[in-house]
Amino acid sequence: MHNMDKFELQKLRDLPIEGVAERLGLRVSHHKSLCPFHDDHHASLSFKVSKNTYRCFVCGASGGPIDLAMALLPSRGGREGSPFLDACRWLADEHNVILTEYQPSPAKPAEPFDANRYERFFERPWLNDEARRFLFSERRLDPRVVSWCRLTSWKDKRGVPWLQIPYYDREGKLVGVQNRNLVRGASPRFRFPQGAECTIYNLPVLNLLKPGEPLYITEGCSDCWAMLSAGHKAIAIPSATLLKQKDVELLRTFSSPKQGRQGGVFTFHMYPDRDEPGERLFLQLKQLLPNLEHHQLPPNCKDFSDYYLTTLPAAQHPPNAPPCKP
Ligand SMILES: [Zn+2]
């Protein structure tokens, strides 16, 4: 069994409490939320960002990120292990890395995203060895997908390799850039330039959807690339808790008849991650998109990227084909 050392535990205790709360399904606003520990109607739970704790002034519930996860994660009956370790594992899970990037509403208004500064990087995408290893050897993605997504790479002043992921709106305008650290286990794992709007990923694919063709919704761009490599049309959202109102509105318009091609509405499909947040995300999206269809991943696959790898022949060499036109 994996033992958490003191250093790792401290990292979990330092995960932003409000981000953890949101990931667990609480709606945090102005450092308060409804208390999940009593029948609350007045947002009695408050968060102290400086101490990274929560406290309910009605029922007295209090603690830090690990306590909150222990209290709110569903118990996994029949499994060995303790609720404490379950909570630590959940918090340490790579899917929750987004938590370390969680930022409450910025104190000062952000500078708008400067697309002109970044556009040129994606005109001639270039993949360094680390990027090729990650995309083709590790994730085994289709080079045509990598090319369609205009993924490129660069190294910062300290020689750290980054994958650079452009976000476009439906009209193909660059609206954001996400940088992914290509050093395994490195922190921070993601970086976003000032003002970047990295919410719904791969919107231009909507223009290619044929009538009645299924549109898959994934959590995060890695799963989106796997889905595209498997031959499906797909968009990605970061996670329901990070969806901005603007994106909720956009998703809503998808299920209105006039948006679909030739009078039909899009049909939505999803393979939720095999965990509680994954299922919760599905349910939240289902409220916005009533015809969203649930697909079940096999028991040994935690997300679609895992599943995609199991569908590939075992001995395939990383493709070295030059990028093709999408
Ligand atoms: Zn309470």
Side-chain angles (χ1 to χ4, degrees):
M1 180 162 60
H2 178 69
N3 286 310
M4 297 259 170
D5 66 23
K6 256 191 203 162
F7 176 69
E8 284 175 275
L9 272 180
Q10 194 52 48
K11 279 207 288 192
L12 301 182
R13 290 198 177 102
D14 290 342
L15 288 171
I17 185 72
E18 294 183 355
V20 172
E22 294 208 326
R23 188 70 175 159
L24 286 162
L26 302 185
R27 281 188 181 276
V28 181
S29 165
H30 304 290
H31 309 299
K32 283 176 184 298
S33 84
L34 286 177
C35 174
F37 305 109
H38 76 273
D39 183 22
D40 191 12
H41 303 277
H42 299 286
S44 311
L45 198 70
S46 38
F47 298 92
K48 197 160 222 169
V49 176
S50 58
K51 291 188 168 165
N52 213 34
T53 55
Y54 64 91
R55 171 177 295 278
C56 173
F57 292 100
V58 176
C59 72
S62 67
I66 299 176
D67 307 293
L68 195 62
M70 272 173 71
L72 295 185
L73 282 177
S75 66
R76 299 175 190 181
R79 251 222 230 160
E80 59 174 284
S82 68
F84 176 77
L85 283 176
D86 275 351
C88 289
R89 278 193 206 100
W90 182 84
L91 286 167
D93 188 286
E94 67 164 333
H95 286 79
N96 291 307
V97 76
I98 196 100
L99 289 171
T100 58
E101 313 299 325
Y102 174 85
Q103 293 189 333
S105 27
K108 54 177 185 188
E111 295 280 316
F113 175 67
D114 183 4
N116 290 331
R117 206 179 133 191
Y118 292 94
E119 238 153 18
R120 59 193 170 94
F121 297 129
F122 305 106
E123 280 161 14
R124 286 165 190 258
W126 172 76
L127 298 173
N128 56 30
D129 289 346
E130 291 87 351
R132 299 187 74 84
R133 182 191 50 74
F134 171 71
L135 297 168
F136 299 130
S137 308
E138 203 175 298
R139 300 296 174 118
R140 298 178 68 183
L141 300 173
D142 188 323
R144 288 169 300 179
V145 168
V146 171
S147 170
W148 158 260
C149 293
R150 294 181 172 272
L151 303 181
T152 188
S153 59
W154 62 292
K155 284 191 180 172
D156 66 20
K157 276 179 273 179
R158 292 182 302 162
V160 176
W162 295 84
L163 186 68
Q164 202 163 33
I165 306 160
Y167 280 63
Y168 297 100
D169 68 11
R170 195 166 169 180
E171 284 69 45
K173 193 180 116 210
L174 185 68
V175 291
V177 172
Q178 178 182 10
N179 289 297
R180 186 191 203 282
N181 198 325
L182 288 168
V183 177
R184 207 187 289 255
S187 175
R189 205 150 82 100
F190 295 107
R191 257 191 204 164
F192 303 90
Q194 182 76 277
E197 288 186 29
C198 295
T199 47
I200 302 183
Y201 179 69
N202 201 30
L203 284 172
V205 83
L206 296 178
N207 305 319
L208 302 180
L209 266 190
K210 297 182 191 79
E213 194 178 5
L215 178 65
Y216 285 81
I217 300 184
T218 65
E219 186 174 357
C221 26
S222 298
D223 277 359
C224 188
W225 302 328
M227 194 62 85
L228 294 165
S229 296
H232 301 296
K233 303 259 167 42
I235 56 171
I237 62 170
S239 89
T241 51
L242 296 176
L243 271 188
K244 299 195 179 106
Q245 190 55 35
K246 205 175 103 187
D247 303 307
V248 170
E249 297 304 325
L250 183 65
L251 284 173
R252 270 213 188 93
T253 64
F254 291 174
S255 51
S256 92
K258 67 168 195 274
Q259 276 290 319
R261 293 299 177 86
Q262 301 181 5
V265 294
F266 295 143
T267 62
F268 300 98
H269 299 259
M270 190 175 177
Y271 282 87
D273 287 1
R274 279 190 75 98
D275 59 14
E276 176 67 18
E279 287 301 327
R280 194 181 297 134
L281 175 59
F282 172 81
L283 292 175
Q284 279 171 299
L285 287 173
K286 179 93 180 161
Q287 289 181 344
L288 298 171
L289 310 166
N291 70 354
L292 180 63
E293 212 173 290
H294 186 289
H295 299 265
Q296 187 71 54
L297 288 167
N300 54 334
C301 301
K302 67 175 168 14
D303 58 28
F304 191 82
S305 297
D306 268 7
Y307 178 52
Y308 167 68
L309 290 174
T310 69
T311 64
L312 298 175
Q316 189 195 302
H317 294 289
N320 280 314
C324 324
K325 292 246 183 259

